[in-house]
Amino acid sequence: MSALRQAMALSLAFLVLLSIGGLVLDDIVTEEFRAETEADLREEFQQISAGFRRDGAFPREIDTAHVFSDRGIGYAVLLADGTVLGPVQPEAFDLRGFDILEGEALFEPEAYEALERIFELLEEDDSDGQPIAPQQELFDVEFEAEADLGWRIYAGPVLDGVLIVYAPGISAFGSDLTTVILFFVILLSLPAIVVGLIFGLRAQRRLNHIGAGFDRIADGDLSVRLAPARVRDDIDELTVRIDGATEKLAASIRQMSDFSANIAHDLRTPLTRLRLHLEESERAEDPQAHSAAAIEQMDNIIAIFAAIQRIARLKGHDRRDGFRTFSLAAVAVQAHDIYEAVAQDAGQDLSLRVEEDATIQGDQSLVMQLLANLIENAIRHAGEGAVITLKVVGNVLSLSDTGPGIPEDERDRVLDPLYRLDRSRTTAGAGLGLAMVKAIADLHEADLQLMFGPGGVGLTVQVSFPPGMAPSKS
Amino acid sequence: MRILLLEDDADIGAWTSKGLGAAGHVVDWIENGREALIAASTRDYDVLVFDRMVPDLDGLSALRTLRGARINTPMILLTALGAVEDRVEGLEAGADDYLSKPFAMSELLARITALSRRGHGEGDAPATKLSHRGLELDLLSQTCTCHGTAVPLNPKEFRLLEVLMRSKGRIQTRAMLLERVWDINFEPSTSVVETHMSRLRNKIEKPFDAEYIRTIRGSGYMFID
């Protein structure tokens, strides 16, 4: 469930970050607001007191309609005789400088009630500027706040009295901002978690699908394919790769099981003969002949195993360290020398044509074996009267025969170890010749091609060695 | 001949030493590489037969140590089935011959016989002519005459006859001939040796009604002494 957990963790992290960001913002805004309010209060205080000083006297009364200035700041005055002009309690005039007061402590009870009502009504319906409460004109409110929150005041002596200016406290606005942020966090958290869940579940489902597929592959079901029809992202690409690996695995397992089946089949004959000869040797008049025949069958079996092992080692080994430079034509001449007579005895004609010699890098004795296997194959399968032609054209070696050839659809498979065409089951050989040729060609990074012989008759096997050095002039 | 056999497998060791003993050789059979190394460097043997894979110290390392100490007793290395590339490594390490398991006793015997002659300096002065009962090979001009009549041989037939004549009276197995005449280290699936042998015999025996080469069934061929 890691994908789901991850998605959830991401959603939560998002929310936490959002909250932190909100709180920081709240702090900054509050501080800014507080500083601004203080500056405003001080400025208002100075303007009003300057007005009083200019007049040399306090106004007779303060019109409640002007309690709040444009800036949302109201004021009240305590006269020398103790009279309070404005809706403020007398105790508030004991303060000096900045302070914060609860609404109840600042305002006259009657005024406070009116304020509360105004704010209540404002909250319910703040759509228009109509008087909405009977005493709204007491306060020309231009801000939104709650009456019972802290009010900021600035108080100081003016003439022989005390002036106090007040404005709704920062906590009013501040708490409002916190609420807004909290509200958004809660509002966002639900979709964030839902989106996280959806993505998480989708990713989880895909991973589970891949995991289940792997389990089936591990259980041996190599037909499992994981990639979707359309590849969209990295996970899809991963599944494509897994499919590729599974396919290769399936192919090599198929080849291996074919191989095992073929080994079993090919060993059955010599083993049966071996058994017969061993049984006969007890009873027969000529036990010597039977044990000699048994040894011959045993040698057959050993030869099959030796060839299988050689192929396995050729495939598994990197013998290129031991490579030397030699002439391809020289090996062809040697092979021709050896097999010309053998072909003749089989009623065939083996000829050699060197059109252009090339020097290649490789293991000469292995290339010799490659050629020997090809020639022996031709001698065995091409039939009497066949014409076998060995040709060297540069670094391309080819052997053509006029025999029955190999059907096109079987040309790849004859390179598999022990694969044999049905009709050749009766002829000698273990079906390892071409597999060995393939293994040797692969070791030399040579390209091996099976095709029709000249004129579409018989078989041509062409081995193209990688271009080596140009033939030395010496 | 005195032979030191290094072989860790009890059955193969017993079979080999018995077979060698039956052919008249004296065999010391040792199962451990270190002891074989000590024996080979302290006692005098005509031929060493070492298995490559033995416990303690493998045959190849023992061989290298011996050659490093300038002990040049001829050695045949025995190796597991099908390990072709080991052959080159073995020969480069100083082995004189190489035989892969499983092998026929006749093959081992033939190779031991061939080796011992080589080891004891057969033909101290390199011969330029080989002749026997009217058959004559001139190694310099690469020509063959039988009772004075020139016999046209192609190079490989000449080489085949030369190898046989040089080891007259001793068996040359098919595998040995393939190696020595055609430089082939694998088992061909067609009758390469038989074909060439019969061509050679058609040239040197038939026209002169003589028998020079004998086929030893199940083993190989021998030039009759």
Side-chain angles (χ1 to χ4, degrees):
Chain A
M1 294 301 279
S2 71
L4 190 56
R5 252 202 326 267
Q6 245 172 34
M8 293 306 293
L10 274 176
S11 311
L12 281 178
F14 166 69
L15 289 175
V16 166
L17 284 175
L18 191 68
S19 310
I20 292 174
L23 289 178
V24 169
L25 181 71
D26 184 36
D27 242 31
I28 293 170
V29 170
T30 305
E31 182 55 34
E32 193 79 359
F33 183 70
R34 193 183 58 82
E36 206 174 303
T37 320
E38 275 181 15
D40 284 354
L41 279 177
R42 193 196 299 265
E43 202 187 322
E44 193 73 11
F45 180 89
Q46 270 157 8
Q47 273 181 17
I48 294 170
S49 56
F52 292 163
R53 282 199 197 93
R54 202 168 49 241
D55 297 345
F58 294 110
R60 297 279 294 286
E61 59 175 325
I62 293 170
D63 184 358
T64 48
H66 295 106
V67 161
F68 287 98
S69 71
D70 293 349
R71 287 194 256 189
I73 295 172
Y75 72 95
V77 177
L78 175 71
L79 302 179
D81 61 359
T83 318
V84 175
L85 298 179
V88 173
Q89 298 219 23
E91 293 79 23
F93 292 95
D94 296 342
L95 303 164
R96 288 294 176 272
F98 290 109
D99 216 326
I100 298 173
L101 277 184
E102 292 291 313
E104 271 178 310
L106 178 63
F107 297 112
E108 289 282 350
E110 198 186 326
Y112 180 67
E113 251 172 62
L115 254 183
E116 264 191 326
R117 254 199 318 280
I118 289 165
F119 282 124
E120 241 165 64
L121 287 165
L122 270 176
E123 219 158 84
E124 276 167 25
D125 183 7
D126 56 349
S127 55
D128 43 41
Q130 306 281 322
I132 41 174
Q135 284 172 285
Q136 198 196 351
E137 59 273 15
L138 265 176
F139 303 96
D140 183 10
V141 181
E142 287 195 351
F143 51 79
E144 285 180 25
E146 283 166 38
D148 63 343
L149 286 166
W151 288 72
R152 296 199 69 82
I153 62 160
Y154 189 85
V158 175
L159 300 175
D160 55 348
V162 177
L163 172 66
I164 192 165
V165 295
Y166 52 86
I170 44 157
S171 54
F173 189 79
S175 84
D176 225 30
L177 189 66
T178 313
T179 314
V180 167
I181 289 166
L182 203 69
F183 172 73
F184 272 106
V185 166
I186 291 167
L187 192 77
L188 280 175
S189 67
L190 203 69
I193 287 172
V194 168
V195 168
L197 258 171
I198 289 171
F199 277 97
L201 277 174
R202 267 191 52 196
Q204 191 63 53
R205 231 186 5 249
R206 292 168 74 191
L207 287 183
N208 286 348
H209 172 66
I210 295 173
F214 256 133
D215 285 346
R216 281 169 61 203
I217 292 170
D219 286 343
D221 181 2
L222 293 177
S223 64
V224 175
R225 293 294 176 270
L226 299 171
R230 204 155 56 89
V231 176
R232 282 166 309 189
D233 58 10
D234 289 359
I235 294 187
D236 287 350
E237 249 161 53
L238 187 68
T239 59
V240 170
R241 284 204 206 142
I242 293 172
D243 284 355
T246 315
E247 222 152 285
K248 275 187 202 153
L249 193 63
S252 67
I253 285 184
R254 204 178 316 120
Q255 196 186 339
M256 212 147 30
S257 77
D258 284 359
F259 185 50
S260 318
N262 286 335
I263 289 182
H265 184 278
D266 279 51
L267 286 180
R268 193 175 296 259
T269 315
L271 281 172
T272 309
R273 287 195 193 133
L274 174 64
R275 194 194 152 83
L276 285 176
H277 285 303
L278 287 177
E279 273 180 5
E280 285 297 310
S281 68
E282 300 222 327
R283 300 183 288 242
E285 287 167 16
D286 186 8
Q288 205 89 44
H290 281 291
S291 56
I295 288 175
E296 197 181 307
Q297 292 306 324
M298 199 65 231
D299 285 346
N300 264 342
I301 296 165
I302 290 167
I304 291 175
F305 274 113
I308 290 171
Q309 212 168 5
R310 277 195 87 167
I311 291 169
R313 291 184 77 134
L314 281 175
K315 280 188 170 172
H317 251 266
D318 188 32
R319 286 193 60 209
R320 262 163 280 182
D321 309 339
F323 274 16
R324 290 191 173 80
T325 310
F326 60 92
S327 145
L328 203 52
V331 184
V333 167
Q334 196 188 346
H336 180 254
D337 277 355
I338 296 171
Y339 286 104
E340 190 187 18
V342 180
Q344 235 166 55
D345 283 5
Q348 297 160 329
D349 177 61
L350 173 65
S351 64
L352 169 68
R353 259 171 56 205
V354 177
E355 291 185 4
E356 181 201 338
D357 188 16
T359 310
I360 65 163
Q361 286 276 324
D363 184 319
Q364 186 167 351
S365 69
L366 285 178
V367 174
M368 180 67 213
Q369 176 160 23
L370 176 149
L371 253 180
N373 284 5
L374 288 180
I375 295 172
E376 291 188 337
N377 252 341
I379 291 176
R380 269 207 314 274
H381 300 301
E384 217 179 319
V387 177
I388 305 167
T389 314
L390 176 60
K391 210 159 82 172
V392 178
V393 184
N395 49 10
V396 180
L397 195 75
S398 65
L399 187 83
S400 308
D401 68 56
T402 55
I406 295 176
E408 265 173 288
D409 54 339
E410 284 193 272
R411 281 178 192 163
D412 278 341
R413 303 210 53 199
V414 292
L415 301 177
D416 289 346
L418 289 174
Y419 183 83
R420 299 179 69 184
L421 301 177
D422 282 338
R423 63 158 191 277
S424 67
R425 288 254 167 233
T426 49
T427 51
L432 287 161
L434 279 177
M436 182 108 60
V437 166
K438 171 89 173 114
I440 294 172
D442 284 348
L443 186 73
H444 286 81
E445 288 171 355
D447 180 44
L448 180 65
Q449 298 256 8
L450 272 59
M451 53 187 98
F452 285 115
V457 184
L459 177 72
T460 291
V461 181
Q462 185 178 294
V463 188
S464 313
F465 288 91
M469 285 167 284
S472 55
K473 293 270 157 61
S474 68
Chain B
M1 255 187 286
R2 210 175 156 80
I3 297 169
L4 175 63
L5 171 67
L6 169 61
E7 169 63 66
D8 63 313
D9 185 278
D11 284 345
I12 298 175
W15 174 76
T16 312
S17 57
K18 196 176 144 213
L20 293 176
H25 300 296
V26 180
V27 184
D28 286 347
W29 169 25
I30 289 174
E31 298 178 34
N32 163 306
R34 210 165 288 281
E35 286 171 32
L37 184 59
I38 294 166
S41 49
T42 51
R43 275 176 264 164
D44 199 22
Y45 290 101
D46 296 303
V47 173
L48 309 173
V49 179
F50 277 23
D51 184 26
R52 242 193 96 134
M53 300 288 285
V54 287
D56 215 4
L57 182 74
D58 66 275
L60 197 64
S61 307
L63 167 65
R64 288 208 178 97
T65 312
L66 283 174
R67 294 298 186 247
R70 306 216 174 277
I71 295 169
N72 292 320
T73 318
M75 178 188 287
I76 297 180
L77 261 189
L78 305 178
T79 184
L81 179 68
V84 209
E85 49 268 41
D86 296 350
R87 193 190 130 84
V88 180
E89 201 183 1
L91 295 182
E92 276 171 2
D96 299 271
D97 206 347
Y98 206 87
L99 196 53
S100 64
K101 286 180 179 176
F103 52 83
M105 182 51 68
S106 56
E107 187 77 40
L108 180 62
L109 283 171
R111 283 170 191 266
I112 284 174
T113 312
L115 264 192
S116 62
R117 290 296 171 95
R118 209 194 292 173
H120 289 285
E122 174 205 55
D124 295 319
T128 55
K129 268 195 170 101
L130 296 172
S131 63
H132 194 74
R133 292 196 285 129
L135 191 62
E136 206 166 286
L137 279 189
D138 186 328
L139 299 178
L140 292 178
S141 62
Q142 297 270 304
T143 50
C144 170
T145 51
C146 200
H147 297 292
T149 316
V151 179
L153 294 181
N154 72 33
K156 289 296 171 191
E157 286 163 354
F158 187 88
R159 173 79 185 135
L160 176 59
L161 185 55
E162 180 194 340
V163 168
L164 286 166
M165 282 182 85
R166 277 185 188 278
S167 61
K168 60 174 184 278
R170 282 172 285 137
I171 296 171
Q172 287 283 323
T173 64
R174 287 175 68 243
M176 288 162 82
L177 289 173
L178 282 167
E179 283 168 26
R180 274 147 219 192
V181 179
W182 293 281
D183 196 21
I184 285 181
N185 303 310
F186 53 88
E187 178 90 356
S189 64
T190 51
S191 46
V192 170
V193 179
E194 293 78 352
T195 302
H196 288 276
M197 194 63 79
S198 88
R199 302 221 159 188
L200 175 64
R201 292 171 88 165
N202 280 343
K203 286 181 181 174
I204 60 169
E205 291 182 341
K206 236 185 188 165
F208 308 101
D209 198 23
E211 193 198 5
Y212 290 108
I213 299 165
R214 183 171 296 160
T215 308
I216 314 293
R217 256 195 88 203
S219 296
Y221 301 88
M222 188 173 77
F223 195 88
I224 302 162
D225 201 354

